[in-house]
Amino acid sequence: MPSSKLLGAIAAPAVLSMVCTGLVFAAQPGQAAPPAAPAGSKHDHRKAPRPNIVYVMADDLGWSDLGTGRTNGGHGNDFNETPVLDSLAEEGAVFDNAYASPQCAPTRSALLTGQYATRPTNNIYAVGGINNTTTSPLVGVPQGRADGAVNAVPTEFPTFAETLQDAGYSTGYAGKFHVAATAQEIVESHGFDESWGGGPWSHATVYHASGGTFNDTVAPELDKYAADYSQEYVDENIAPYSQGVSEEQVDALVGTPKHVTDAITDAAIDYIDRSKDKDKPFFTYLSQYAPHFPVANFQARTDLLAKYQAKTPAADPASPAYAALVEGIDQSVARVIDYLEETPDPRNHGRPLADNTLVIFTSDNGGETNQGSFNEPLRGRKSELYDGGVRIPWIVWSGNRDLVKPRSTNHTVINGVDLYPTLASYAGAKLPKRVPLDGIDLRPAFSKGRELDRDLFHHLPGYIRGGAEPGSTIRSGRWKLYYFYTDQRFELYDLQSDIGETDDVSERHPRLVRSLGTKLGAWLDRTSAPLATLRAGQPPVVIDGFTGLTYAEGRLARHRGDTITIEPGEEVPFVLPTR
């Protein structure tokens, strides 16, 4: 495929790089292309060594925030421009039923641990805890670690990165981490050889460096990449990927502070460059702070902001600052893909790195609509259990069709807990013994396009400020069932015919509610899910003549005409009537 750098270099006078449209980039001007496999060579992808892996996560990117419609059922954004991600979605595999948690910390902990939040070795449900209100009728459970680290996974639990390390991988982390008590834990306890910028912070309060350093919400290791933009840097890393931006606007970046999105990309590519010659595969986690709030004009890169301020909005909501942050992520991905396409692979002779690298792109939760994100036609936003809060774009790409089935759309319901067993499968790694991993191996879906049948669960035993109340959900096929603990209410939606969750059909399908509710109760029991408790001062909750199933205090119980009384301080149960 023509290199975006090559096309950008010949576009004049404005810098107008084109979208990459094939599977192989040409080399950039002045650089030799990777040697082709000799004619008649016995080399083929099936004999390639274990693959490299690059995992890219955006922060708060909504389901409908990408330009492509392939990741979101045809609901691509008509204001944001993401040409390279659109191209990867066209060339690779997309999953239009991909889910996360309603906020970033629980998603990131589930990724690392391969476990639902209900497990004691995860126990992270939201940012900052779920017991942050004193007026609610229920009291949320304490979350986090016993040492008081609310958003930190246990250091003694094996993460997927440690499993990859044990299998001989080099592992590097660039960007937001959030679920460690300190930046040092990332490399000391969570399986990464190196880390730049990550720590316990939920977001970067300022996106640009100042005087060659980022502020204290970004770990100082990233300062190595925080120097002001030079002419050489702009020519090499900004101009080739610019579309709809004048040469003058791009050159105006010279001498201005580095944007954290670019610095994280610099760190990731530098790590890949240093790792490729170690005669072992690499795993690189590139975790962007953008487009998380604060979303404001001064946070965006000036060339991209000017582009969107001059653009006429169409039907979808338009936020120039937000769109600029999103396109900055697209350019980051473009740089990584270019590097993989242009760099010979020492472990896979005659091939570029891309031919033996698995690339995954996704987001950590639904979009924050009051910051410029767009989730429609889904209902809800970040911090809610409805699909707008938890459904995310998910793209898988490789230059090797044995790693990823090209041009495929997969409707399998997937989740971040699936990453652990999936990466272990690609890496040929042994899963830790006596660890109850909750995810499934997605490799058959990634590489063969198989539709996998599984149920997906979420549980919130407390409150998210400005968002969800205590509830549990199950997504099973086309159906999504919600249970709300404050009033023992079920809601049921047919996502195939009602993707916006506007028509609650629970009363029309009582048998289906009982069937899915039984699965949900069994899952709560299987994972020993903690429940919110009735707040002191609240009147007891009494359920007379109850026949059905309950879950509380770590066990399932069946009732026939019983009276159930919940006193203040006791768990408010999951209650499923069977008649």
Side-chain angles (χ1 to χ4, degrees), residues 32-88:
S41 170
K42 295 182 180 180
H43 178 99
D44 61 46
H45 290 310
R46 287 170 293 182
K47 296 180 180 179
R50 290 182 299 162
N52 307 301
I53 303 167
V54 176
Y55 185 80
V56 183
M57 176 177 279
D59 195 351
D60 287 5
L61 185 76
W63 196 61
S64 300
D65 278 340
L66 298 182
T68 179
R70 284 181 53 79
T71 62
N72 48 39
H75 301 283
N77 198 284
D78 61 17
F79 188 72
N80 304 340
E81 297 180 23
T82 53
V84 173
L85 287 168
D86 296 354
S87 181
L88 298 186

Side-chain angles (χ1 to χ4, degrees), residues 237-367:
N237 299 307
I238 304 294
Y241 305 102
S242 295
Q243 299 186 59
V245 179
S246 71
E247 186 175 354
E248 290 74 21
Q249 289 170 323
V250 172
D251 284 343
L253 291 171
V254 176
T256 66
K258 178 75 70 69
H259 198 278
V260 71
T261 297
D262 294 326
I264 290 170
T265 311
D266 296 341
I269 292 175
D270 181 45
Y271 179 75
I272 295 172
D273 188 64
R274 290 183 288 107
S275 299
K276 71 179 188 302
D277 296 321
K278 293 182 179 179
D279 197 31
K280 60 181 181 177
F282 59 79
F283 170 77
T284 305
Y285 196 141
L286 199 164
S287 179
Q288 293 290 1
Y289 286 101
H292 191 289
F293 75 82
V295 177
N297 288 350
F298 73 90
Q299 302 281 28
R301 218 174 63 202
T302 56
D303 58 321
L304 292 172
L305 178 65
K307 168 184 175 175
Y308 286 101
Q309 286 178 327
K311 184 174 181 177
T312 302
D316 294 341
S319 167
Y322 186 85
L325 292 172
V326 171
E327 187 169 350
I329 293 172
D330 188 77
Q331 292 185 4
S332 165
V333 173
R335 289 179 57 198
V336 172
I337 297 298
D338 260 352
Y339 179 87
L340 296 174
E341 291 284 13
E342 295 166 357
T343 305
D345 185 351
R347 297 189 307 119
N348 197 18
H349 180 69
R351 302 280 181 169
L353 285 170
D355 279 16
N356 196 36
T357 300
L358 175 71
V359 179
I360 303 171
F361 174 85
T362 187
S363 179
D364 62 350
N365 46 247

Side-chain angles (χ1 to χ4, degrees), residues 373-388:
S373 182
F374 193 54
N375 301 316
E376 291 183 9
L378 304 181
R379 176 180 179 178
R381 61 180 180 85
K382 175 185 176 180
S383 301
E384 297 183 6
L385 292 175
Y386 292 110
D387 264 21

Side-chain angles (χ1 to χ4, degrees), residues 455 457 474-477 479-481 490 492-493 510-522 574 576:
D455 296 327
F457 302 92
I474 175 175
R475 170 74 196 272
S476 183
W479 303 99
K480 189 174 180 185
L481 181 73
F490 285 97
L492 177 67
Y493 297 98
R511 290 184 179 179
L512 185 57
V513 170
R514 287 195 293 270
S515 174
L516 294 178
T518 300
K519 287 185 175 183
L520 182 54
F574 170 81
L576 176 66

Side-chain angles (χ1 to χ4, degrees), residues 104-424:
C104 51
T107 294
R108 294 165 192 274
S109 58
L111 288 173
L112 286 169
T113 64
Q115 295 189 333
Y116 286 117
T118 49
R119 304 283 189 183
T121 39
N122 181 338
N123 196 39
I124 297 176
Y125 298 91
V127 175
I130 53 176
N131 188 21
N132 53 11
T133 174
T134 59
T135 59
S136 61
L138 307 186
V139 178
V141 304
Q143 78 163 27
R145 301 191 318 211
D147 63 3
V150 174
N151 289 319
V153 297
T155 57
E156 67 274 13
F157 186 83
T159 67
F160 75 77
E162 290 176 277
T163 294
L164 293 180
Q165 274 186 333
D166 291 343
Y169 273 68
S170 297
T171 57
Y173 198 100
K176 174 177 172 176
F177 197 84
H178 195 185
V179 288
T182 66
Q184 290 70 36
E185 281 187 3
I186 300 171
V187 295
E188 293 175 356
S189 304
H190 293 314
F192 292 95
D193 299 326
E194 299 181 29
S195 175
W196 312 271
W201 310 281
S202 65
H203 62 286
T205 57
V206 178
Y207 275 112
H208 289 91
S210 177
T213 62
F214 292 101
N215 76 0
D216 58 7
T217 58
V218 178
E221 289 79 10
L222 193 64
D223 290 344
K224 176 182 177 181
Y225 306 94
D228 290 352
Y229 291 110
S230 66
Q231 187 68 61
E232 180 182 9
Y233 185 97
V234 168
D235 291 344
E236 175 69 16
N237 299 307
I238 304 294
Y241 305 102
S242 295
Q243 299 186 59
V245 179
S246 71
E247 186 175 354
E248 290 74 21
Q249 289 170 323
V250 172
D251 284 343
L253 291 171
V254 176
T256 66
K258 178 75 70 69
H259 198 278
V260 71
T261 297
D262 294 326
I264 290 170
T265 311
D266 296 341
I269 292 175
D270 181 45
Y271 179 75
I272 295 172
D273 188 64
R274 290 183 288 107
S275 299
K276 71 179 188 302
D277 296 321
K278 293 182 179 179
D279 197 31
K280 60 181 181 177
F282 59 79
F283 170 77
T284 305
Y285 196 141
L286 199 164
S287 179
Q288 293 290 1
Y289 286 101
H292 191 289
F293 75 82
V295 177
N297 288 350
F298 73 90
Q299 302 281 28
R301 218 174 63 202
T302 56
D303 58 321
L304 292 172
L305 178 65
K307 168 184 175 175
Y308 286 101
Q309 286 178 327
K311 184 174 181 177
T312 302
D316 294 341
S319 167
Y322 186 85
L325 292 172
V326 171
E327 187 169 350
I329 293 172
D330 188 77
Q331 292 185 4
S332 165
V333 173
R335 289 179 57 198
V336 172
I337 297 298
D338 260 352
Y339 179 87
L340 296 174
E341 291 284 13
E342 295 166 357
T343 305
D345 185 351
R347 297 189 307 119
N348 197 18
H349 180 69
R351 302 280 181 169
L353 285 170
D355 279 16
N356 196 36
T357 300
L358 175 71
V359 179
I360 303 171
F361 174 85
T362 187
S363 179
D364 62 350
N365 46 247
E368 183 62 275
T369 53
N370 62 8
Q371 295 292 316
S373 182
F374 193 54
N375 301 316
E376 291 183 9
L378 304 181
R379 176 180 179 178
R381 61 180 180 85
K382 175 185 176 180
S383 301
E384 297 183 6
L385 292 175
Y386 292 110
D387 264 21
V390 293
R391 203 158 167 179
I392 53 173
W394 191 295
I395 301 168
V396 186
W397 179 92
S398 178
N400 182 346
R401 63 176 55 245
D402 291 330
L403 296 179
V404 177
K405 183 178 180 180
R407 302 182 182 277
S408 59
T409 299
N410 196 300
H411 306 301
T412 298
V413 178
I414 67 174
N415 182 265
V417 294
D418 301 326
L419 190 69
Y420 200 139
T422 302
L423 297 189

